[in-house]
Amino acid sequence: MIYLDYSATTPVDSRVLDAMLPYFTEFFGNPSSVHRYGQRAEFAVETARETTARMLNCQPGEIIFTSCGSESDNLALRGAAYAMREKTGANWILASRAEHPAVTKTLYHLEKYEGFRIEWLEVDGHGMVSPETVSKAICDNTAVVSVMYANNEIGTINPIRDIAEACRSRGVLFHTDAVQAAAYLPVDVQELGVDMMSLGAHKFYGPKGVGALYVRRGTPLFPHLTGGGQEFGLRAGTQNVSYIVGFAEALRLTGVEREKRTAQVAPLRDQIIGTVLEVIPKARLTGHPVARLPHHASFVFEHVDGNVLLTLLDAAGFACSSGSACKTGTPEPSEVMNAIGLPRAWGLGSLRVTLGSGTTSEHIESFLSLLPELVEKARRLK
Ligand SMILES: *Cc1c(COP(=O)(O)O)cnc(C)c1O
């Protein structure tokens, strides 16, 4: 079986696992305890916070550890929406329609049950949000703007720096979901100019079930999990010490090895895109041809059922995806396919191929030698 679904999740790097293991057994204390068991665990969490802050170019006090990327998105959006409404009365939230469900579903909820107004920002045919679109949509009532750094389904990278600048010049909070981007793109929050940024470890060779939210000092934010005073009172609950240690080590390694990892996957990604568009009839690239994640190739095939194609690929020994992992099984085109304006006959036939540490050129050769006939077979089965 060949794994080509690194945007869904990645295996835990063995160096990350080694860093985590002592905190399950030897150093098992509760970081909030006063005694030395507690101090040792607290030291591990605070060291992880410092490492994370160094990688993001911010202060340790600006890092909130969470249980996953989705929770970071929830904390950022709910926390900022409630706090801004209380502070200024602003109750409009701006976000693009190509966001991950962790953002879109959270916003649906805020709209339906909490009385906020959501304005959906247009994306272009590549799924990109322009700074001008954001500028035009901002008004006195805008509480927070959320635009993802890179898209999980189609790989497009948004001009986050310029969008952040557009928000900052109008005094509006800006959040970015960088869960997918962090594996390959720079995450210097000063350079990006963001107020909040979500991360999740399992997209960059850390464990599932741990994430972080960067919150610029002074950003108004309500806690969304109440209880003890952990995480500066913003996220109650005893910290998951070993996973937090794993998060920081995975992020550190990603920072150190970013160029090497990019150099491994980008040429293979280009080979996939080139061959698919050349060899397979009625195939289109989804997402931006240039401003895209280096490990990410995504397509639509007309008159193909994406799930049928995935099943055929799986039977042939290849693990791919038809978009976001959460979408598999749904017989409708994803919201991202709709947002980029694809007709149904195309949008249903999406395929995402994402590469990573275990990918070799032999894997890609054998994948590409098989894919054209599987697409044809899927077309006949439709
Ligand atoms: C994976 C992903 C998430 C969700 O992260 P979890 O840690 O799985 O909750 C959110 N946003 C994007 C862009 C993602 O790729």
Side-chain angles (χ1 to χ4, degrees):
M1 201 67 201
I2 292 171
Y3 188 76
L4 297 172
D5 202 11
Y6 286 84
S7 278
T9 196
T10 58
V12 175
D13 187 307
S14 61
R15 296 166 293 181
V16 171
L17 182 62
D18 288 344
M20 293 169 65
L21 285 175
Y23 296 94
F24 287 101
T25 50
E26 199 179 343
F27 308 125
F28 65 88
N30 183 327
S32 300
S33 297
V34 171
H35 47 64
R36 269 168 274 175
Y37 291 89
Q39 289 168 20
R40 186 66 189 76
E42 187 190 21
F43 179 74
V45 170
E46 295 319 315
T47 304
R49 203 185 305 282
E50 281 163 22
T51 303
T52 303
R54 199 167 68 243
M55 301 317 296
L56 268 48
N57 191 20
C58 67
Q59 296 301 314
E62 297 175 310
I63 301 295
I64 314 298
F65 289 116
T66 66
S67 70
C68 58
S70 300
E71 191 196 325
S72 298
D73 287 341
N74 270 264
L75 174 56
L77 293 169
R78 292 176 197 277
Y82 293 134
M84 287 305 291
R85 184 164 65 183
E86 183 177 85
K87 194 175 163 205
T88 68
N91 71 339
W92 284 36
I93 302 168
L94 307 181
S96 94
R97 283 202 189 274
E99 296 295 306
H100 188 276
V103 168
T104 54
K105 295 261 171 78
T106 302
L107 296 182
Y108 293 150
H109 197 280
L110 284 169
E111 183 172 46
K112 186 163 179 199
Y113 300 107
E114 307 289 341
F116 288 93
R117 287 192 60 175
I118 316 301
E119 189 167 329
W120 298 102
L121 301 164
E122 288 300 318
V123 299
D124 68 14
H126 297 135
M128 196 182 273
V129 179
S130 80
E132 294 73 36
T133 304
V134 175
S135 280
K136 275 193 212 134
I138 291 175
C139 68
D140 291 345
N141 250 333
T142 309
V144 57
V145 177
S146 187
V147 176
M148 71 204 314
Y149 192 172
N151 188 286
N152 47 300
E153 280 189 52
I154 57 175
T156 296
I157 301 168
N158 276 310
I160 289 305
R161 243 181 90 166
D162 295 341
I163 294 173
E165 178 54 37
C167 293
R168 177 174 291 197
S169 70
R170 302 283 294 276
V172 170
L173 292 179
F174 179 61
H175 164 255
T176 193
D177 174 342
V179 179
Q180 195 61 235
Y184 290 99
L185 304 181
V187 285
D188 180 328
V189 293
Q190 311 310 334
E191 188 62 32
L192 292 170
V194 298
D195 297 305
M196 291 177 283
M197 184 169 78
S198 300
L199 300 170
H202 76 100
K203 304 287 173 72
F204 49 81
Y205 305 97
K208 294 161 192 60
V210 62
L213 180 67
Y214 158 74
V215 183
R216 186 179 294 280
R217 189 183 311 169
T219 304
L221 205 66
F222 273 21
H224 78 146
L225 198 52
T226 45
Q230 293 94 349
E231 301 301 304
F232 315 106
L234 285 171
R235 202 274 179 184
T238 301
Q239 287 99 339
N240 192 346
V241 180
S242 52
Y243 280 54
I244 287 170
V245 168
F247 176 99
E249 180 62 1
L251 187 65
R252 190 187 70 77
L253 290 167
T254 300
V256 172
E257 298 181 356
R258 185 168 283 126
E259 273 139 50
K260 191 179 102 190
R261 293 180 188 182
T262 301
Q264 183 198 342
V265 293
L268 299 174
R269 188 262 331 248
D270 292 341
Q271 186 188 350
I272 295 172
I273 294 176
T275 306
V276 166
L277 296 182
E278 192 185 310
V279 171
I280 302 182
K282 294 188 199 132
R284 286 193 207 168
L285 181 73
T286 53
H288 202 281
V290 180
R292 68 182 301 130
L293 291 168
H295 73 304
H296 195 296
S298 57
F299 307 93
V300 282
F301 304 106
E302 194 185 21
H303 299 310
V304 166
D305 179 331
N307 284 327
V308 169
L309 180 58
L310 288 188
T311 309
L312 294 174
L313 280 164
D314 184 60
F318 296 96
C320 303
S321 161
S322 66
S324 126
C326 333
K327 282 277 153 53
T328 311
T330 315
E332 285 300 309
S334 75
E335 293 198 36
V336 176
M337 297 301 137
N338 292 331
I340 61 177
L342 282 174
R344 210 183 133 79
W346 286 86
L348 283 173
S350 69
L351 175 69
R352 181 181 76 179
V353 187
T354 46
L355 318 182
S357 58
T359 312
T360 65
S361 58
E362 290 74 33
H363 292 164
I364 299 311
E365 291 291 343
S366 72
F367 174 74
L368 288 173
S369 69
L370 214 77
L371 184 65
E373 63 190 76
L374 294 184
V375 171
E376 278 321 305
K377 193 166 175 192
R379 270 192 183 126
R380 285 199 304 275
L381 286 172
K382 185 110 201 296

